[in-house]
Amino acid sequence: MVVKAARRYASALLQIAIEQDILEGIMADVGLVHETIEASRDLELFLRSPIIKSEEKKEALHSVFSNSVQPLTLQFFDLVIRKGRERLLDQMMSGFIELYKEYKQILDVQVRFAMDLDDAQTGDLKKMLEKQTGKTIELQLEKQPELIGGMAIQISDTIIDGTVRHQLNRLSSLFKEVAI
């Protein structure tokens, strides 16, 4: 969950990136920073530490990212540190990714399935979902053999469950109701 303060910073970064016409570059930077913080518990603890001085945090972020991110991203780091919000940096990156996807009309869709899907099936599913939603779809596929057959599709908080396991559970419930 992204706190309000982090979302405000993320929103400001998004607006500036749009205004300067560097949105895709900033998105790449944000992805890199987010992945780096997620992969490094030490970096996360370093940024959250109240003992470490702001100047040291600024120098560390510049040394880690200066060769791989745009100047605006480095300026963003400086602002965040100057305001004492560096502990929220990872949430800001998450918030930016959410806002970017909202702005670009991209939906994350989780698909759980029992048997492997080939490229044609995956492509057809993506096209069908894009047609239904009117948005660009990013599929997150997960194989779960225990579903027996079929698939379950989750879009935000809506689940379309067409798995054999779900159908068997419904049938079992129906038989129990009839037996009573």
Side-chain angles (χ1 to χ4, degrees), residues 54-73:
S54 296
E55 193 58 36
E56 291 178 52
K57 293 177 183 180
K58 179 180 169 182
E59 288 174 15
L61 286 174
H62 278 261
S63 69
V64 171
F65 295 109
S66 65
N67 293 329
S68 50
V69 298
Q70 299 187 36
L72 178 62
T73 304

Side-chain angles (χ1 to χ4, degrees), residues 84 103 114:
Y103 177 77

Side-chain angles (χ1 to χ4, degrees), residues 25 33 53 59 64 66 80 103-104 108 111 119 124 148 153:
V33 173
K53 293 182 175 133
E59 288 174 15
V64 171
S66 65
V80 168
Y103 177 77
K104 291 288 200 167
D108 288 325
V111 180
D119 292 341
D124 290 344
I148 304 170
I153 300 170

Side-chain angles (χ1 to χ4, degrees), residues 122-132 137 139:
T122 304
D124 290 344
L125 176 62
K126 184 176 177 182
K127 285 178 191 170
M128 185 267 305
L129 290 169
E130 287 177 343
K131 184 177 179 185
Q132 292 293 322
I137 299 296
L139 292 177

